Amino acid sequence: MASTSKFDDFVSCPYNKAHIVLRGRLTKHLVRCSRNPENLNKLLVCPFNESHRLDAQQLQVGKMFDLLRLIGIHFEFMQAHIKICPERAGFERHAQKDEQPPLAEPVSQVSIECEEDWDNEPDAPTYDPSAYCEENLVIRSSGLHGQSKSVRRDFRAKERRRFAEKQ
């Protein structure tokens, strides 16, 4: 039984094939790698998936790509990719909600009646840990750090007396 983990699914960067990245971290890597000056305006971003990058040469844009990208008219050259993009299915499903049958019947929510009402609970006193420690057999040492030797000695003597009274 082969187990597939999210830690062994590696993909290569479209900007530099030597960059091998986990699939879950590819989007972060692409942002950083695209900032590299030699990668600037090298690839187009798919409108359906941010991690899907397209080579301008594959789209047969050629040298006009840089000029067209500067003036923002690169969408016409992506129409061929948009028609065959595997990520388009999710977009089409979202765009044509009314025409598609529902995936599953909605689950009705059932309200459960409960006799317990937390708003009407009696008020309880707040918990004071120092008061609890004074009333019970608990060894205390807080507040002694940084005190002089005589203060620590007096505190230990008081604690011994307190323990003797409680027992």
Side-chain angles (χ1 to χ4, degrees):
M1 179 195 267
S3 66
T4 57
S5 172
K6 64 180 180 178
F7 297 112
D8 57 0
D9 188 16
F10 290 98
V11 293
S12 63
C13 172
Y15 290 106
N16 186 345
K17 298 297 180 190
H19 296 171
I20 305 297
V21 185
L22 285 170
R23 185 176 301 277
R25 302 210 26 108
L26 180 64
T27 306
K28 281 187 176 182
H29 174 79
L30 288 175
V31 169
R32 289 185 178 194
C33 207
S34 66
R35 290 182 193 156
N36 192 346
E38 62 191 34
N39 295 336
L40 205 58
N41 296 334
K42 185 176 178 184
L43 298 177
L44 291 172
V45 180
C46 175
F48 302 117
N49 185 353
E50 183 71 24
S51 65
H52 193 191
R53 303 292 166 108
L54 307 163
D55 190 9
Q57 304 302 327
Q58 289 176 350
L59 294 176
Q60 300 172 347
V61 176
K63 296 178 182 177
M64 290 294 292
F65 171 69
D66 294 331
L67 176 64
L68 292 173
R69 186 172 177 94
L70 288 175
I71 58 175
I73 310 175
H74 66 276
F75 186 75
E76 294 86 17
F77 296 105
M78 291 192 67
Q79 286 181 348
H81 168 73
I82 289 172
K83 290 178 183 177
I84 61 169
C85 181
E87 303 292 331
R88 181 184 172 138
F91 174 76
E92 290 294 331
R93 195 173 320 120
H94 179 71
Q96 299 173 356
K97 277 185 185 175
D98 300 334
E99 297 174 10
Q100 299 201 1
L103 297 176
E105 292 183 20
V107 178
S108 62
Q109 294 186 354
V110 178
S111 70
I112 299 173
E113 296 296 326
C114 182
E115 292 128 21
E116 186 177 23
D117 186 9
W118 288 19
D119 295 330
N120 293 334
E121 292 289 325
D123 291 333
T126 58
Y127 175 69
D128 185 9
S130 59
Y132 176 81
C133 290
E134 288 176 9
E135 295 172 6
N136 296 300
L137 295 173
V138 176
I139 299 172
R140 300 182 299 162
S141 65
S142 64
L144 292 179
H145 300 293
Q147 298 292 333
S148 65
K149 190 174 185 178
S150 63
V151 171
R152 293 192 309 252
R153 183 178 46 228
D154 292 341
F155 179 79
R156 284 194 300 271
K158 287 179 187 175
E159 286 294 297
R160 282 189 198 106
R161 277 186 253 128
R162 185 175 69 88
F163 270 63
E165 291 172 2
K166 296 285 182 189
Q167 290 181 349

